[in-house]
Amino acid sequence: MNSTWKIYLLAFMSFYVSTSEYVIAGILDQIAAWANISISAAGQLITVFAIAGVIGSPIFVMATTKMDQRHLLMLALAIVVLGSVLTVTLPGFGFLIVSRIVLAIGGGVFVIAAKTVAAKLAAPGKQAGAIGTVIIGFSASLIAGVPIGRVVAAAYGWKVIFVGIGILSLLAIFVVARTIPPTEGDAPVPLGKQLALLKNPNILTGFGVTFFWQLGYAMLYAYIAPFLLNVTSMSEREVSMALFAFGVATLIGSKFGGFMTDRIGIPRSLIGGMIVHVLALVLLSGFAKSTVVTIPLLMLWAFSAWSSGPGLQFSLVALAPEASGIMLSLYGSILQLSIAAAGGIGGIAAGGLSIRAVGWIAAVSVAIAVILAAISFSRKSSRRFRYGSN
């Protein structure tokens, strides 16, 4: 019990640290106006952050593997403080890209270390729950951080968000020093062992499903604020309300997806959820014009998109149960790669075609994920029929 509050403290820190990544989607139009650039150009901030997270964070963690995890938490928070200061003080879009790289490394390392420390603090048999608590803090940055960030940015300017993140991270350094005990880290998994799993065609297909599913989701989400403002003509207040409703729907969808995966199995739950995901994107792209119509469609999109997450992760772990940790690590890397690609592809579509076109391309991407999933599951069913017992 004495350590439970420390785990929740790490979850709260993960919430505002992770907000530095996701909040950009809610204020992209304001950053574009500040930098005097197009929205599609501003969207590359999402790509830069994701790439820095995929490459920089794992390298940093491997380089500091012998470091006490408490000290690693403090170092990561210091990097977040530095990134926040750079974001607020340096002029121009070029410097903003640099600050996004710094924030990506600091935030990514902190969340990784927080999960490690939470597992060490938890009582025997409750390590998974402790890690899940930290993940809830990470997820809450999307559910609450983005709409709150939009409200704050509308009232005080977008830089105030990063002032708040920087101040909270600075205070957190002293809190971690006083409350978190010295914690040894785990040995890193060699890159060669991770890449060896990709030789399995079913695992490779599973990661393909993950990539195109997340690509379709992240592509429109990266441009959600300009989409709502320009395509549906929402007001600032209505955009904040829509983003909050979106966040609530993601939480419900994630819980429902896990429930349905247990009840009807991975294939039907996963493919069904992604089909609804495609339908929601088509409806948003074709019929989202008024607030009354858009918010329910937005919630349907969020609900269906996040309902697929549990099934995808369970499916990948089931393919290599002896290497579940590696599979989930690779799953996270694939997600970040797809987010990076989404920022680039979405930017090209928004700049060369229209914001509405981003939604249509996103729907095509998720449809590809549905096809890959159907092929993968049919391949497994055929193999069981040929070699399984009656």
Side-chain angles (χ1 to χ4, degrees):
M1 285 295 294
N2 291 336
S3 295
T4 301
W5 70 271
K6 297 178 183 178
I7 296 171
Y8 279 101
L9 183 64
L10 289 172
F12 174 69
M13 293 177 184
S14 296
F15 160 69
Y16 63 76
V17 167
S18 299
T19 296
S20 65
E21 174 179 4
Y22 291 115
V23 75
I24 287 291
I27 58 175
L28 202 61
D29 57 312
Q30 296 190 23
I31 292 177
W34 167 81
N36 196 28
I37 58 175
S38 67
I39 289 176
S40 60
Q44 303 316 302
L45 292 172
I46 297 170
T47 299
V48 168
F49 194 105
I51 292 175
V54 169
I55 299 174
S57 296
I59 292 176
F60 196 99
V61 169
M62 290 180 68
T64 56
T65 185
K66 295 182 179 180
M67 180 181 290
D68 183 293
Q69 294 297 289
R70 178 180 63 174
H71 294 158
L72 184 58
L73 285 171
M74 295 167 65
L75 177 58
L77 287 167
I79 295 173
V80 172
V81 172
L82 174 61
S84 301
V85 171
L86 293 176
T87 300
V88 173
T89 59
L90 294 181
F93 186 67
F95 287 111
L96 190 56
I97 290 177
V98 174
S99 70
R100 295 300 291 166
I101 294 173
V102 175
L103 283 170
I105 294 174
V109 171
F110 179 85
V111 172
I112 292 171
K115 288 188 285 187
T116 301
V117 172
K120 301 281 187 180
L121 291 173
K126 296 186 177 180
Q127 290 90 343
I131 294 173
T133 300
V134 175
I135 292 174
I136 288 174
F138 176 81
S139 300
S141 64
L142 173 61
I143 297 169
V146 174
I148 291 173
R150 182 74 194 186
V151 171
V152 171
Y156 306 105
W158 65 270
K159 288 191 176 183
V160 172
I161 298 169
F162 293 93
V163 171
I165 291 173
I167 291 173
L168 287 172
S169 299
L170 182 62
L171 293 174
I173 294 175
F174 299 100
V175 173
V176 168
R178 294 293 301 272
T179 62
I180 303 299
T183 308
E184 293 184 3
D186 295 326
V189 177
L191 182 61
K193 188 175 181 180
Q194 296 187 35
L195 295 178
L197 291 169
L198 299 179
K199 296 179 181 179
N200 184 322
N202 286 327
I203 290 177
L204 197 58
T205 303
F207 284 133
V209 173
T210 302
F211 179 84
F212 284 104
W213 161 71
Q214 179 66 14
L215 178 65
Y217 169 78
M219 198 181 303
L220 183 57
Y221 184 75
Y223 296 90
I224 190 61
F227 180 90
L228 295 176
L229 288 168
N230 300 326
V231 174
T232 69
S233 300
M234 283 186 177
S235 65
E236 280 287 344
R237 181 183 177 187
E238 289 171 333
V239 169
S240 298
M241 290 173 53
L243 290 175
F244 180 77
F246 182 95
V248 172
T250 63
L251 179 60
I252 297 173
S254 182
K255 294 292 185 182
F256 182 79
F259 172 77
M260 291 305 293
T261 298
D262 289 336
R263 289 296 297 271
I264 64 175
I266 294 173
R268 285 191 289 174
S269 173
L270 181 57
I271 292 179
M274 288 195 295
I275 289 174
V276 177
H277 189 172
V278 174
L279 178 62
L281 286 170
V282 169
L283 292 174
L284 267 173
S285 303
F287 300 99
K289 296 179 181 179
S290 67
T291 303
V292 175
V293 173
T294 301
I295 290 182
L297 290 178
L298 202 66
M299 294 182 72
L300 178 65
W301 171 41
F303 176 87
S304 59
W306 281 68
S307 71
S308 300
L312 270 173
Q313 293 179 71
F314 292 153
S315 177
L316 289 170
V317 169
L319 290 171
E322 75 286 354
S324 59
I326 300 175
M327 293 298 291
L328 292 177
S329 174
L330 288 171
Y331 172 84
S333 296
I334 294 296
L335 289 187
Q336 288 296 332
L337 284 173
S338 62
I339 291 172
I345 297 172
I348 294 171
L353 298 171
S354 67
I355 291 291
R356 192 183 290 274
V358 176
W360 289 110
I361 298 173
V364 171
S365 180
V366 180
I368 293 173
V370 173
I371 294 170
L372 288 176
I375 292 172
S376 177
F377 290 131
S378 64
R379 184 192 303 153
K380 292 178 195 174
S381 297
S382 175
R383 186 169 299 141
R384 281 197 300 268
F385 178 78
R386 260 183 284 172
Y387 303 111
S389 58
N390 293 327

